[in-house]
Every structure is written in C-alpha cells, then in structure tokens.
Amino acid sequence: QVQLVESGGGLVQPGGSLRLSCAASGSILSINDMGWYRQAPGKQRELVASITSDGSTNYADSAKGRFTISRDNAKNTVYLQMGSLKPEDTAVYYCNAAIRRDGYRVHLIYWGQGTQVTVSS
C-alpha cells in the first residue's frame, strides 16, 4: 500500500510564506512526476506546480515567481515553498505522485488527503 501525507498548511497573513511537504511511503519502487494541486471552494481542482524525477519543473501562471517546488528523492518527499501569499491562494492543497509499487509494472497516480491553506488578515 502507498500513502501520501501532506503537512505544513495553516493560516497566514497576506504577503506571508508557507512551506508544504508531502511524503510518500509504502512499497515504492520508483516515483516519476510529483505535483501540487489546489481546490478552492466552488472551484475545480487546478495544477499549481509539478516536478519530474530529474528535477524539471512546471508552474501555473498564478504560481510563477512566488512558489517553488522541489523534491528529495531519497526521502520520497515533495515540497512547495509559497511566498507573497494572496487571499486568492486560499484553498485545500493536494499533492500527487506517479508511483510504481512493488509487484506492479506501471506507475499509478496517488493523492494525498489535502492540507488547508488560508491567507487572511
């Protein structure tokens, strides 16, 4: 079994920073792409940023210049450093990862349970 566990969400004032973490655990052989998505109330889930196994990154326009995605392959962990936060960044943030489990031939997509980020004064 595979689990993704996020941490680091919370309440922050506009202009502040937060660092989200997501650790994958279980019978993992390899992890390809990892990413962060978010879903605000009444809106669809959207990509925030993604990172390949060799470190290539992709950002939503709303995240460029403010957020940085990184990963520690030895720890099966992906991070999202968020800065210059705005009220419109308020959402539940989810991580996902393409993981190949022991005994499987292909990578499957797994999701974390989500962590709330609230930007408010």
Side-chain angles (χ1 to χ4, degrees):
Q1 201 165 2
V2 169
Q3 273 192 316
L4 297 181
V5 178
E6 297 122 334
S7 60
L11 174 64
V12 63
Q13 291 188 340
S17 300
L18 277 178
R19 188 191 194 210
L20 306 182
S21 300
C22 173
S25 62
S27 56
I28 296 170
L29 289 183
S30 65
I31 303 178
N32 281 352
D33 292 6
M34 303 182 83
W36 288 95
Y37 288 71
R38 68 186 182 187
Q39 187 166 19
K43 294 188 176 182
Q44 289 190 330
R45 190 173 298 188
E46 62 178 5
L47 174 69
V48 177
S50 63
I51 185 167
T52 65
S53 56
D54 62 0
S56 297
T57 58
N58 178 55
Y59 294 93
D61 287 343
S62 59
K64 288 179 181 176
R66 301 189 300 127
F67 296 179
T68 301
I69 190 171
S70 61
R71 63 191 284 173
D72 184 333
N73 290 332
K75 296 181 179 180
N76 290 336
T77 299
V78 62
Y79 305 97
L80 185 67
Q81 179 69 48
M82 303 186 293
S84 302
L85 284 163
K86 307 174 183 179
E88 51 263 43
D89 294 316
T90 296
V92 178
Y93 283 70
Y94 299 89
C95 69
N96 82 348
I99 296 174
R100 183 182 171 194
R101 293 174 53 185
D102 188 11
Y104 285 66
R105 293 185 177 183
V106 297
H107 289 76
L108 302 176
I109 302 298
Y110 293 85
W111 290 87
Q113 81 285 355
T115 185
Q116 177 70 46
V117 172
T118 302
V119 184
S120 175
S121 55

